[in-house]
Amino acid sequence: MQIRTVGVVGAGQMGNGIAHVFALAGYDVLLTDVSAEALDAARATIEKNLERQVSRGKVNGDDRDAALARIRTTMTLADLGPSDLIIEAATERETVKQAIFEDLGPHLGPDTILASNTSSISITRLASRTDRPERFMGVHFMNPVPVMQLVELIRGIATSPETYATLHELVEKIGKTASSSEDFPAFIVNRILIPMINEAIYTLYEGVGNVASIDRALKLGANHPMGPLELADFIGLDTCLAIMNVLHDGLADTKYRPCPLLVKYVEAGWLGRKTRRGFYDYTGDEPVPTR
């Protein structure tokens, strides 16, 4: 299975990063979104991030220009159909992802491989809604995609060995490192990471410490580069809640119950950096704890 062209569905934080790394590695990329503004913002973000890599000596100017030339955009999902590989990077809601794959179905080439960048949802279940479960996999990039080294590879129950081998090789070709996970809720990284964040929110909720003290404790006491509440804001509190719900529903264990404070913040629309308010307020020059 040869991959030369890559379609990316969703031009948000993950989608533009995925487009960036594939284009830089020499692949032709077609990026789609339902919003023209999102596509314009994605291209601007990719240009800014490539320029940062050039300024740090990690990429030369010719490679930057070539990567930008390889990225095209469209608002028509069907245009992605002929791509060798299509990676869905839409919001972490199963109904949205299922609708995307169903809409793509009639337009796909016979050999097209489908992948989802989901951070928690069953690959087997998503694949079952397509006409090619054997050519379907989870390919979970970490955020920010151009910087983070890891890609989780998740096989559904029907994923063929050939599909897995193709995508494992592809991850190496784009300069990333693969870690293989079985298809269980939240896979490896988020099964460990998000409950830790949820426990930090419980620690705040129960008054054990405030936002600043909790984040300081983990940064200095466990040598984490970011505190758990700062990290939750970076990920997006809605995404953290969605993953906790997948864990709670999928594993039926009370230890995965989302903290009520997390639920309250999401209900308030305080989703973290992307809404400029979460466990920190980002409206000023420096983030200020909200509790």
Side-chain angles (χ1 to χ4, degrees):
M1 300 179 183
Q2 291 295 317
I3 306 296
R4 298 181 182 86
T5 58
V6 178
V8 180
V9 183
Q13 197 171 39
M14 298 305 296
N16 72 61
I18 292 168
H20 174 146
V21 298
F22 273 102
L24 194 56
Y27 295 88
D28 291 326
V29 177
L30 183 57
L31 178 64
T32 188
D33 200 282
V34 294
S35 163
E37 292 78 10
L39 289 171
D40 290 342
R43 179 166 281 280
T45 297
I46 293 168
E47 289 181 11
K48 180 182 72 176
N49 289 339
L50 281 168
E51 191 57 46
R52 182 182 294 117
Q53 289 178 311
V54 170
S55 69
R56 294 176 178 175
K58 295 182 177 181
V59 173
N60 66 47
D62 290 343
D63 288 343
R64 173 201 57 203
D65 295 343
L68 287 170
R70 293 187 190 104
I71 299 172
R72 295 181 298 120
T73 61
T74 179
M75 290 182 64
T76 304
L77 184 64
D79 290 347
L80 273 63
S83 303
D84 297 325
L85 169 67
I86 298 175
I87 302 174
E88 169 274 315
T91 186
E92 192 68 357
R93 287 168 50 199
E94 188 165 351
T95 54
V96 172
K97 296 177 184 297
Q98 287 176 344
I100 288 167
F101 289 121
E102 287 173 2
D103 289 347
L104 274 170
H107 310 286
L108 297 175
D111 298 324
T112 298
I113 295 175
L114 296 176
S116 177
N117 185 58
T118 179
S119 55
S120 62
I121 297 168
S122 168
I123 297 302
T124 296
R125 198 161 59 237
L126 288 174
S128 72
R129 302 293 292 269
T130 74
D131 66 346
R132 59 194 69 208
E134 73 286 352
R135 301 177 75 84
F136 192 109
M137 268 189 63
V139 181
H140 178 212
F141 288 83
M142 305 294 120
N143 185 36
V145 180
V147 175
M148 299 295 280
Q149 184 67 23
L150 182 71
V151 179
E152 279 186 311
L153 293 180
I154 307 99
R155 283 173 280 197
I157 195 170
T159 303
S160 71
E162 293 80 11
T163 298
Y164 173 78
T166 298
L167 294 188
H168 193 283
E169 181 181 3
L170 185 66
V171 168
E172 294 178 350
K173 286 181 177 178
I174 62 173
K176 303 293 187 186
T177 300
S179 179
S180 297
S181 169
E182 295 301 319
D183 187 20
F184 285 92
F187 319 131
I188 294 172
V189 172
N190 282 328
R191 179 158 178 177
I192 297 167
L193 176 64
I194 302 300
M196 184 200 75
I197 288 173
N198 193 56
E199 192 63 27
I201 300 170
Y202 266 115
T203 306
L204 176 65
Y205 178 61
E206 294 169 3
V208 180
N210 60 27
V211 168
S213 64
I214 291 167
D215 276 351
R216 185 183 306 115
L218 268 292
K219 284 194 282 188
L220 301 182
N223 205 28
H224 290 187
M226 297 173 72
L229 301 175
E230 181 185 7
L231 180 56
D233 277 356
F234 181 75
I235 293 168
L237 303 191
D238 53 339
T239 300
C240 293
L241 179 58
I243 295 169
M244 284 307 303
N245 282 328
V246 166
L247 283 164
H248 192 236
D249 295 344
L251 299 173
D253 192 322
T254 56
K255 73 180 181 179
Y256 297 117
R257 183 173 72 99
C259 179
L261 185 60
L262 173 60
V263 176
K264 184 178 291 187
Y265 269 56
V266 172
E267 288 175 344
W270 292 16
L271 308 182
R273 286 180 177 268
K274 61 188 172 186
T275 60
R276 306 192 72 192
R277 187 180 293 268
F279 292 111
Y280 292 84
D281 185 320
Y282 299 92
T283 56
D285 293 335
E286 295 291 333
V288 177
T290 53
R291 281 179 176 256

